[in-house]
């Protein structure tokens, strides 16, 4: 099983059908129930061990399994059966809340329901929902709706989810285990189905997803709703799997991209990076990018300002600072955009960079200039004719300007938006945000590192600087984007582990942590 491979709903459906042709009725559902029950038992033990409140309830432990009207409900019935079978000492009180009509279930779901009813479970009906009290449980299993849901959850089930979301967050010891996908979440996009006034999804602490991993569990709202994701392939034969839709970034894969440095090397071995930006009142942005380029190993870093600057960064005198003039970018790796502004000088320098430098990172204000000036956008596209490396790093609003749509449209399908940008601008794209999406015209990667500490001014400038340095090391644009985004997020994760953030972590504080993360990736055996 390769948990880093991501499949869309349509691919999972096809896999289900292919697998079922070689299996006895109910086998796939029973395998899902067994896998989920094993994880549920582990979560019950962990919750009971950690919480004095739970220890004092009584000698029994109550869990609630929510069974929806479709095959996700069948999975839930199977979890009830498997948990009851595992509970040989009768320590569990298993409550099953049935939210569907029995006659509407598939044959597989009816078989699992029959198996569950042969065990000692307490059966609740939807009309008893007003009596439902999440506080009495040490585990809630979400088997309401799976990947087949295509409309907002409303009515009594929406009220049930609202009660669980509210109560469980007041009782942090109570885990919520979602089967396949948290109910109400789109497994393709990571957005709540019917987002807005009518949309609701269940917030899970853990998700066990079946057959293959799904992109929506790792980007957008999925980052807040899926919790810890575990994948179980249910024994589906490997040869049945198609090419994945996308991938998750992994430390193992990315650690091979940058090689240890040779003793016989010098500053000329690691490339020159030029950062251009710093319009009026925005001189800090290119300094952040320049410092990030310096801390990730560029041989030399030049920071050029479109407006006046004092001439030196006293905290980092290694940076060569100057006014941006008619530079020769032909032998340099260019990062352009942090604090650039929209002056005629800024436009002229961006135009020069697009036609001169073989490697360019376009960020921030430079992206806004691409969206406003069709000739600049065309120059960006034309770079591909020379096989030059181009990386653009928009946040959702910048992406919306580039695509002439709304930020909501971008967020509604981040993977599609990133790949549409890649095709439109013939570039590698880093669409920043929760579960940043890296895409070129053929590949999509969702970044697996990072946390809300990065939601602060300047962190995008830092990422652009890291990209510039890695381009200077000779990596291709897609590998640069994947690696830079990963170590950028990993640095934020390390900061939080060490008690720094997530609230109040600054972009400047992340830069040395990126250096540490990169060195640990390249030299894993060094102390």
């Amino acid at each position: 099983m390769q948990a880093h491979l991501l499949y869309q709903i349509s691919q999972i459906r096809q896999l289900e059908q292919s697998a079922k042709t070689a299996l006895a009725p109910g086998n796939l559902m029973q395998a899902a129930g067994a896998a989920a029950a094993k994880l549920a038992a582990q979560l019950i033990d962990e919750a009971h061990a950690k919480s004095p409140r739970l220890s004092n309830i009584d000698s029994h432990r109550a869990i609630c399994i929510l069974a929806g009207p479709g095959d996700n409900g069948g999975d839930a019935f199977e979890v009830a059966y498997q948990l009851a079978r595992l509970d040989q000492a009768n320590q569990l009180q298993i409550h099953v809340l049935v939210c569907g009509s029995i006659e509407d279930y598939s044959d597989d779901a009816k078989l699992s329901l029959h198996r569950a009813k042969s065990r000692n479970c307490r059966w609740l009906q939807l009309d008893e929902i007003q009596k439902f009290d999440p506080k009495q449980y040490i585990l809630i299993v979400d088997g309401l709706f799976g990947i087949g849901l295509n409309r907002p959850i409303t009515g009594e089930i929406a009220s049930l989810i609202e009660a669980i979301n509210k109560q469980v967050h007041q009782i942090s010891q109570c885990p919520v285990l979602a089967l396949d996908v948290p109910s109400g979440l789109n497994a393709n996009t990571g957005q709540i189905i019917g987002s807005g006034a009518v949309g609701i999804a269940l917030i899970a602490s853990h998700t066990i997803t079946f057959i293959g991993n799904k992109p929506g569990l790792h980007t957008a709202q999925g980052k807040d709703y899926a919790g810890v994701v575990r994948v179980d392939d249910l024994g589906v034969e490997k040869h049945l799997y198609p090419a994945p839709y996308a991938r998750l970034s992994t430390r193992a894969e990315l650690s091979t991209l940058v090689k240890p440095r040779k003793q016989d090397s010098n500053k000329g071995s690691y490339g020159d990076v030029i950062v251009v930006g710093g319009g009026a009142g925005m001189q800090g942005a290119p300094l952040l990018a320049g410092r990030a380029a310096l801390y990730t190993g560029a041989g030399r870093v030049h920071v050029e300002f479109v407006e006046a600057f004092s001439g030196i960064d006293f905290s980092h005198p290694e940076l060569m600072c100057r006014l941006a003039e008619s530079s020769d970018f032909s032998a340099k790796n260019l990062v352009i955009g942090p604090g650039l502004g929209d002056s005629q000088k800024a436009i002229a320098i961006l135009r020069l960079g697009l036609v001169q430098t073989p490697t360019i990172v376009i960020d921030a204000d430079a992206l806004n200039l691409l969206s406003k000036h069709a000739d600049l956008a065309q120059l960006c596209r034309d770079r591909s004719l020379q096989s030059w490396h181009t990386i653009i790093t928009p946040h959702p609003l910048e992406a919306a300007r580039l695509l002439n749509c709304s930020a909501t449209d971008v967020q509604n399908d981040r993977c599609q938006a990133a790949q549409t940008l890649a095709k439109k601008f013939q570039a590698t794209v880093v669409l920043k945000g929760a579960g940043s999406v890296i895409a070129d015209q053929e590949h999509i990667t969702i970044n697996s590192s990072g946390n809300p500490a990065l939601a602060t001014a300047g962190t995008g400038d830092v990422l652009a600087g890291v990209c510039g340095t890695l381009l200077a090391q000779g990596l291709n644009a897609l590998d640069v984007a994947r690696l830079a985004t990963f170590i950028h997020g990993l640095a934020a994760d390390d900061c939080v582990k060490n008690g720094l953030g997530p609230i109040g972590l600054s972009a400047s504080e992340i830069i040395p942590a990126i250096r540490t993360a990169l060195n640990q990736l390249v030299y894993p055996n060094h102390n």
Side-chain angles (χ1 to χ4, degrees), residues 267-268 270-274 298-302 320:
K267 63 186 178 184
Y270 303 112
D272 291 355
V273 175
I274 296 181
R300 288 177 288 247
V301 181
H302 302 259
M320 291 170 274

Side-chain angles (χ1 to χ4, degrees), residues 154-169:
T154 57
E156 292 179 309
I157 297 182
S159 298
L160 172 65
I161 290 174
E162 186 177 10
I164 293 171
N165 286 348
K166 180 179 179 180
Q167 293 292 338
V168 166
H169 281 282

